[in-house]
Amino acid sequence: MRTTTTARISYSVLNVIVLLALLFPFLWMISASLKTQIQILNPDNLFKFTPTFDNYVTVFKEYDYLKYISSSLIVGVLSTLGALALGLPAAYAIAKYKMDSVSVVILVAKILPGISYLVPWYVLFNKLHLIDSYLGLILSHMVIGLPFIMWIMIPFFASFPREVEESSWIDGSSRMRTFVQMVLPVSLPGIITASLLAFIYSWNNFMFSFVLAGESTKTLPIAIYSFVGGASIQWGALMAAACIITLPVIIIAMLAQKYVVSGLSAGAVKG
């Protein structure tokens, strides 16, 4: 009995230590966004300081972050919708016709580092005059989001009973109608999970936007980089901007948490 109690206490203490280690950078980011530059650089002001919202005022007034937020939303939402429009039917076909070789190709495309696409994209998009355009950014994000969505959704579609589909076809329903009205609603947890993860990837992406975006299509990760100068770093404004870019992802994740958990667990079991 004592051994069990000691083990539980040790487990709880270990969980608290791990949780504090994970939360400390996030909490420091929030506190630093409410400090002046001098307070941030002074270790004595780590916990004791007078909060100020000047950094947030600087971010929105001097750097026009509403423009960058709208750019990130446009690219993130449209690239996710485009990947869903192509990925869901493709994943359904792969699952139902058991195209295992195609699944391997998708896995390889998912594993490949994104930087390997950059040079071909830049050459191609430059020829098509898509540099510094939303279309170029959306297509580049779709190339990564598409295999990701397909890989998540294949187990969901593979587990859908074939008999239910065949009975629907006998009743006169087309394959597309069966897919839209029967298969997709049942697979909603997986669709929400894949959509959320694809959007988060696009929202946080730095590398593609750094190469393919320009002043008119600059997204939030690139805008944050502007606070890093050769002589100094504006830590307060940088942390305020980091809080701004993190907040929407946290809100979306909290609202869709039950779908994400059920989607990932169901996909793992069905896969």
PDB file of all heavy atoms in Angstrom, residues 236-261:
ATOM      1  N   GLY A 236      10.268  42.905 -26.516  1.00  0.00           N
ATOM      2  CA  GLY A 236       8.894  43.136 -26.094  1.00  0.00           C
ATOM      3  C   GLY A 236       7.912  43.006 -27.242  1.00  0.00           C
ATOM      4  O   GLY A 236       6.913  42.277 -27.154  1.00  0.00           O
ATOM      5  N   ALA A 237       8.200  43.697 -28.331  1.00  0.00           N
ATOM      6  CA  ALA A 237       7.325  43.620 -29.503  1.00  0.00           C
ATOM      7  C   ALA A 237       7.358  42.226 -30.113  1.00  0.00           C
ATOM      8  O   ALA A 237       6.334  41.725 -30.590  1.00  0.00           O
ATOM      9  CB  ALA A 237       7.754  44.654 -30.539  1.00  0.00           C
ATOM     10  N   LEU A 238       8.532  41.585 -30.085  1.00  0.00           N
ATOM     11  CA  LEU A 238       8.649  40.225 -30.623  1.00  0.00           C
ATOM     12  C   LEU A 238       7.774  39.254 -29.841  1.00  0.00           C
ATOM     13  O   LEU A 238       7.064  38.416 -30.423  1.00  0.00           O
ATOM     14  CB  LEU A 238      10.113  39.783 -30.573  1.00  0.00           C
ATOM     15  CG  LEU A 238      10.418  38.355 -31.061  1.00  0.00           C
ATOM     16  CD1 LEU A 238      10.060  38.209 -32.531  1.00  0.00           C
ATOM     17  CD2 LEU A 238      11.886  38.024 -30.837  1.00  0.00           C
ATOM     18  N   MET A 239       7.788  39.350 -28.511  1.00  0.00           N
ATOM     19  CA  MET A 239       6.976  38.471 -27.687  1.00  0.00           C
ATOM     20  C   MET A 239       5.486  38.781 -27.833  1.00  0.00           C
ATOM     21  O   MET A 239       4.643  37.878 -27.809  1.00  0.00           O
ATOM     22  CB  MET A 239       7.389  38.583 -26.220  1.00  0.00           C
ATOM     23  CG  MET A 239       8.789  38.047 -25.931  1.00  0.00           C
ATOM     24  SD  MET A 239       8.987  36.288 -26.315  1.00  0.00           S
ATOM     25  CE  MET A 239       9.900  36.391 -27.863  1.00  0.00           C
ATOM     26  N   ALA A 240       5.137  40.062 -27.982  1.00  0.00           N
ATOM     27  CA  ALA A 240       3.735  40.422 -28.212  1.00  0.00           C
ATOM     28  C   ALA A 240       3.237  39.840 -29.526  1.00  0.00           C
ATOM     29  O   ALA A 240       2.124  39.295 -29.605  1.00  0.00           O
ATOM     30  CB  ALA A 240       3.580  41.942 -28.208  1.00  0.00           C
ATOM     31  N   ALA A 241       4.055  39.933 -30.562  1.00  0.00           N
ATOM     32  CA  ALA A 241       3.682  39.351 -31.854  1.00  0.00           C
ATOM     33  C   ALA A 241       3.586  37.830 -31.764  1.00  0.00           C
ATOM     34  O   ALA A 241       2.709  37.219 -32.384  1.00  0.00           O
ATOM     35  CB  ALA A 241       4.708  39.753 -32.914  1.00  0.00           C
ATOM     36  N   ALA A 242       4.475  37.217 -30.978  1.00  0.00           N
ATOM     37  CA  ALA A 242       4.424  35.763 -30.803  1.00  0.00           C
ATOM     38  C   ALA A 242       3.138  35.344 -30.090  1.00  0.00           C
ATOM     39  O   ALA A 242       2.543  34.312 -30.417  1.00  0.00           O
ATOM     40  CB  ALA A 242       5.646  35.290 -30.022  1.00  0.00           C
ATOM     41  N   CYS A 243       2.708  36.134 -29.113  1.00  0.00           N
ATOM     42  CA  CYS A 243       1.438  35.851 -28.435  1.00  0.00           C
ATOM     43  C   CYS A 243       0.271  35.953 -29.412  1.00  0.00           C
ATOM     44  O   CYS A 243      -0.673  35.148 -29.363  1.00  0.00           O
ATOM     45  CB  CYS A 243       1.233  36.823 -27.275  1.00  0.00           C
ATOM     46  SG  CYS A 243       2.327  36.559 -25.860  1.00  0.00           S
ATOM     47  N   ILE A 244       0.332  36.937 -30.300  1.00  0.00           N
ATOM     48  CA  ILE A 244      -0.744  37.139 -31.275  1.00  0.00           C
ATOM     49  C   ILE A 244      -0.828  35.955 -32.231  1.00  0.00           C
ATOM     50  O   ILE A 244      -1.914  35.470 -32.554  1.00  0.00           O
ATOM     51  CB  ILE A 244      -0.517  38.451 -32.049  1.00  0.00           C
ATOM     52  CG1 ILE A 244      -0.684  39.652 -31.109  1.00  0.00           C
ATOM     53  CG2 ILE A 244      -1.492  38.575 -33.219  1.00  0.00           C
ATOM     54  CD1 ILE A 244      -0.251  40.960 -31.707  1.00  0.00           C
ATOM     55  N   ILE A 245       0.302  35.464 -32.673  1.00  0.00           N
ATOM     56  CA  ILE A 245       0.303  34.346 -33.629  1.00  0.00           C
ATOM     57  C   ILE A 245      -0.078  33.034 -32.950  1.00  0.00           C
ATOM     58  O   ILE A 245      -0.600  32.108 -33.587  1.00  0.00           O
ATOM     59  CB  ILE A 245       1.681  34.219 -34.316  1.00  0.00           C
ATOM     60  CG1 ILE A 245       1.573  33.318 -35.547  1.00  0.00           C
ATOM     61  CG2 ILE A 245       2.722  33.674 -33.378  1.00  0.00           C
ATOM     62  CD1 ILE A 245       2.863  33.241 -36.346  1.00  0.00           C
ATOM     63  N   THR A 246       0.148  32.940 -31.641  1.00  0.00           N
ATOM     64  CA  THR A 246      -0.159  31.708 -30.913  1.00  0.00           C
ATOM     65  C   THR A 246      -1.615  31.636 -30.487  1.00  0.00           C
ATOM     66  O   THR A 246      -2.210  30.547 -30.458  1.00  0.00           O
ATOM     67  CB  THR A 246       0.744  31.587 -29.666  1.00  0.00           C
ATOM     68  OG1 THR A 246       2.111  31.690 -30.052  1.00  0.00           O
ATOM     69  CG2 THR A 246       0.524  30.272 -28.948  1.00  0.00           C
ATOM     70  N   LEU A 247      -2.226  32.767 -30.168  1.00  0.00           N
ATOM     71  CA  LEU A 247      -3.574  32.790 -29.600  1.00  0.00           C
ATOM     72  C   LEU A 247      -4.627  32.111 -30.479  1.00  0.00           C
ATOM     73  O   LEU A 247      -5.406  31.286 -29.982  1.00  0.00           O
ATOM     74  CB  LEU A 247      -3.978  34.238 -29.300  1.00  0.00           C
ATOM     75  CG  LEU A 247      -5.343  34.424 -28.643  1.00  0.00           C
ATOM     76  CD1 LEU A 247      -5.392  33.710 -27.298  1.00  0.00           C
ATOM     77  CD2 LEU A 247      -5.658  35.915 -28.467  1.00  0.00           C
ATOM     78  N   PRO A 248      -4.715  32.410 -31.795  1.00  0.00           N
ATOM     79  CA  PRO A 248      -5.751  31.746 -32.604  1.00  0.00           C
ATOM     80  C   PRO A 248      -5.612  30.228 -32.626  1.00  0.00           C
ATOM     81  O   PRO A 248      -6.617  29.510 -32.595  1.00  0.00           O
ATOM     82  CB  PRO A 248      -5.535  32.341 -34.005  1.00  0.00           C
ATOM     83  CG  PRO A 248      -4.828  33.625 -33.772  1.00  0.00           C
ATOM     84  CD  PRO A 248      -3.960  33.389 -32.587  1.00  0.00           C
ATOM     85  N   VAL A 249      -4.378  29.735 -32.675  1.00  0.00           N
ATOM     86  CA  VAL A 249      -4.156  28.287 -32.705  1.00  0.00           C
ATOM     87  C   VAL A 249      -4.631  27.652 -31.402  1.00  0.00           C
ATOM     88  O   VAL A 249      -5.264  26.580 -31.407  1.00  0.00           O
ATOM     89  CB  VAL A 249      -2.666  27.990 -32.944  1.00  0.00           C
ATOM     90  CG1 VAL A 249      -2.398  26.493 -32.831  1.00  0.00           C
ATOM     91  CG2 VAL A 249      -2.237  28.504 -34.304  1.00  0.00           C
ATOM     92  N   ILE A 250      -4.354  28.311 -30.270  1.00  0.00           N
ATOM     93  CA  ILE A 250      -4.787  27.782 -28.974  1.00  0.00           C
ATOM     94  C   ILE A 250      -6.309  27.753 -28.886  1.00  0.00           C
ATOM     95  O   ILE A 250      -6.908  26.772 -28.430  1.00  0.00           O
ATOM     96  CB  ILE A 250      -4.198  28.628 -27.831  1.00  0.00           C
ATOM     97  CG1 ILE A 250      -2.675  28.463 -27.785  1.00  0.00           C
ATOM     98  CG2 ILE A 250      -4.804  28.217 -26.488  1.00  0.00           C
ATOM     99  CD1 ILE A 250      -2.008  29.325 -26.740  1.00  0.00           C
ATOM    100  N   ILE A 251      -6.962  28.821 -29.333  1.00  0.00           N
ATOM    101  CA  ILE A 251      -8.431  28.881 -29.284  1.00  0.00           C
ATOM    102  C   ILE A 251      -9.043  27.786 -30.151  1.00  0.00           C
ATOM    103  O   ILE A 251      -9.962  27.073 -29.724  1.00  0.00           O
ATOM    104  CB  ILE A 251      -8.919  30.271 -29.739  1.00  0.00           C
ATOM    105  CG1 ILE A 251      -8.481  31.335 -28.729  1.00  0.00           C
ATOM    106  CG2 ILE A 251     -10.435  30.283 -29.897  1.00  0.00           C
ATOM    107  CD1 ILE A 251      -8.807  32.754 -29.157  1.00  0.00           C
ATOM    108  N   ILE A 252      -8.539  27.640 -31.372  1.00  0.00           N
ATOM    109  CA  ILE A 252      -9.071  26.614 -32.277  1.00  0.00           C
ATOM    110  C   ILE A 252      -8.841  25.217 -31.701  1.00  0.00           C
ATOM    111  O   ILE A 252      -9.731  24.356 -31.736  1.00  0.00           O
ATOM    112  CB  ILE A 252      -8.414  26.732 -33.667  1.00  0.00           C
ATOM    113  CG1 ILE A 252      -8.807  28.054 -34.324  1.00  0.00           C
ATOM    114  CG2 ILE A 252      -8.826  25.566 -34.558  1.00  0.00           C
ATOM    115  CD1 ILE A 252      -8.083  28.325 -35.622  1.00  0.00           C
ATOM    116  N   ALA A 253      -7.656  24.992 -31.137  1.00  0.00           N
ATOM    117  CA  ALA A 253      -7.348  23.672 -30.576  1.00  0.00           C
ATOM    118  C   ALA A 253      -8.244  23.356 -29.386  1.00  0.00           C
ATOM    119  O   ALA A 253      -8.700  22.208 -29.226  1.00  0.00           O
ATOM    120  CB  ALA A 253      -5.880  23.617 -30.157  1.00  0.00           C
ATOM    121  N   MET A 254      -8.534  24.346 -28.550  1.00  0.00           N
ATOM    122  CA  MET A 254      -9.402  24.120 -27.394  1.00  0.00           C
ATOM    123  C   MET A 254     -10.836  23.828 -27.829  1.00  0.00           C
ATOM    124  O   MET A 254     -11.505  22.948 -27.269  1.00  0.00           O
ATOM    125  CB  MET A 254      -9.357  25.335 -26.471  1.00  0.00           C
ATOM    126  CG  MET A 254      -8.036  25.539 -25.762  1.00  0.00           C
ATOM    127  SD  MET A 254      -8.012  27.010 -24.710  1.00  0.00           S
ATOM    128  CE  MET A 254      -9.261  26.563 -23.496  1.00  0.00           C
ATOM    129  N   LEU A 255     -11.317  24.556 -28.845  1.00  0.00           N
ATOM    130  CA  LEU A 255     -12.686  24.340 -29.309  1.00  0.00           C
ATOM    131  C   LEU A 255     -12.853  22.984 -29.993  1.00  0.00           C
ATOM    132  O   LEU A 255     -13.913  22.355 -29.905  1.00  0.00           O
ATOM    133  CB  LEU A 255     -13.091  25.463 -30.276  1.00  0.00           C
ATOM    134  CG  LEU A 255     -13.220  26.864 -29.670  1.00  0.00           C
ATOM    135  CD1 LEU A 255     -13.529  27.892 -30.754  1.00  0.00           C
ATOM    136  CD2 LEU A 255     -14.313  26.893 -28.597  1.00  0.00           C
ATOM    137  N   ALA A 256     -11.822  22.534 -30.683  1.00  0.00           N
ATOM    138  CA  ALA A 256     -11.910  21.276 -31.436  1.00  0.00           C
ATOM    139  C   ALA A 256     -11.193  20.133 -30.744  1.00  0.00           C
ATOM    140  O   ALA A 256     -10.921  19.105 -31.364  1.00  0.00           O
ATOM    141  CB  ALA A 256     -11.330  21.477 -32.832  1.00  0.00           C
ATOM    142  N   GLN A 257     -10.914  20.285 -29.444  1.00  0.00           N
ATOM    143  CA  GLN A 257     -10.103  19.302 -28.732  1.00  0.00           C
ATOM    144  C   GLN A 257     -10.713  17.902 -28.770  1.00  0.00           C
ATOM    145  O   GLN A 257     -10.032  16.920 -29.048  1.00  0.00           O
ATOM    146  CB  GLN A 257      -9.911  19.740 -27.278  1.00  0.00           C
ATOM    147  CG  GLN A 257      -9.063  18.777 -26.457  1.00  0.00           C
ATOM    148  CD  GLN A 257      -8.905  19.253 -25.015  1.00  0.00           C
ATOM    149  OE1 GLN A 257      -9.564  20.197 -24.600  1.00  0.00           O
ATOM    150  NE2 GLN A 257      -8.050  18.601 -24.259  1.00  0.00           N
ATOM    151  N   LYS A 258     -12.022  17.796 -28.512  1.00  0.00           N
ATOM    152  CA  LYS A 258     -12.638  16.472 -28.453  1.00  0.00           C
ATOM    153  C   LYS A 258     -12.600  15.781 -29.816  1.00  0.00           C
ATOM    154  O   LYS A 258     -12.457  14.555 -29.898  1.00  0.00           O
ATOM    155  CB  LYS A 258     -14.075  16.570 -27.942  1.00  0.00           C
ATOM    156  CG  LYS A 258     -15.018  17.351 -28.833  1.00  0.00           C
ATOM    157  CD  LYS A 258     -16.433  17.327 -28.268  1.00  0.00           C
ATOM    158  CE  LYS A 258     -17.408  18.063 -29.185  1.00  0.00           C
ATOM    159  NZ  LYS A 258     -18.796  18.026 -28.665  1.00  0.00           N
ATOM    160  N   TYR A 259     -12.709  16.585 -30.888  1.00  0.00           N
ATOM    161  CA  TYR A 259     -12.645  15.995 -32.224  1.00  0.00           C
ATOM    162  C   TYR A 259     -11.235  15.533 -32.544  1.00  0.00           C
ATOM    163  O   TYR A 259     -11.036  14.494 -33.184  1.00  0.00           O
ATOM    164  CB  TYR A 259     -13.115  17.004 -33.269  1.00  0.00           C
ATOM    165  CG  TYR A 259     -14.564  17.385 -33.141  1.00  0.00           C
ATOM    166  CD1 TYR A 259     -14.929  18.614 -32.595  1.00  0.00           C
ATOM    167  CD2 TYR A 259     -15.571  16.533 -33.567  1.00  0.00           C
ATOM    168  CE1 TYR A 259     -16.265  18.977 -32.472  1.00  0.00           C
ATOM    169  CE2 TYR A 259     -16.910  16.889 -33.452  1.00  0.00           C
ATOM    170  CZ  TYR A 259     -17.248  18.111 -32.902  1.00  0.00           C
ATOM    171  OH  TYR A 259     -18.557  18.459 -32.778  1.00  0.00           O
ATOM    172  N   VAL A 260     -10.247  16.330 -32.122  1.00  0.00           N
ATOM    173  CA  VAL A 260      -8.860  15.973 -32.400  1.00  0.00           C
ATOM    174  C   VAL A 260      -8.476  14.687 -31.679  1.00  0.00           C
ATOM    175  O   VAL A 260      -7.873  13.774 -32.261  1.00  0.00           O
ATOM    176  CB  VAL A 260      -7.910  17.122 -31.990  1.00  0.00           C
ATOM    177  CG1 VAL A 260      -6.457  16.682 -32.123  1.00  0.00           C
ATOM    178  CG2 VAL A 260      -8.172  18.349 -32.840  1.00  0.00           C
ATOM    179  N   VAL A 261      -8.849  14.590 -30.394  1.00  0.00           N
ATOM    180  CA  VAL A 261      -8.511  13.392 -29.615  1.00  0.00           C
ATOM    181  C   VAL A 261      -9.184  12.159 -30.200  1.00  0.00           C
ATOM    182  O   VAL A 261      -8.551  11.123 -30.418  1.00  0.00           O
ATOM    183  CB  VAL A 261      -8.920  13.585 -28.142  1.00  0.00           C
ATOM    184  CG1 VAL A 261      -8.730  12.286 -27.360  1.00  0.00           C
ATOM    185  CG2 VAL A 261      -8.105  14.698 -27.502  1.00  0.00           C
TER     186      VAL A 261
END
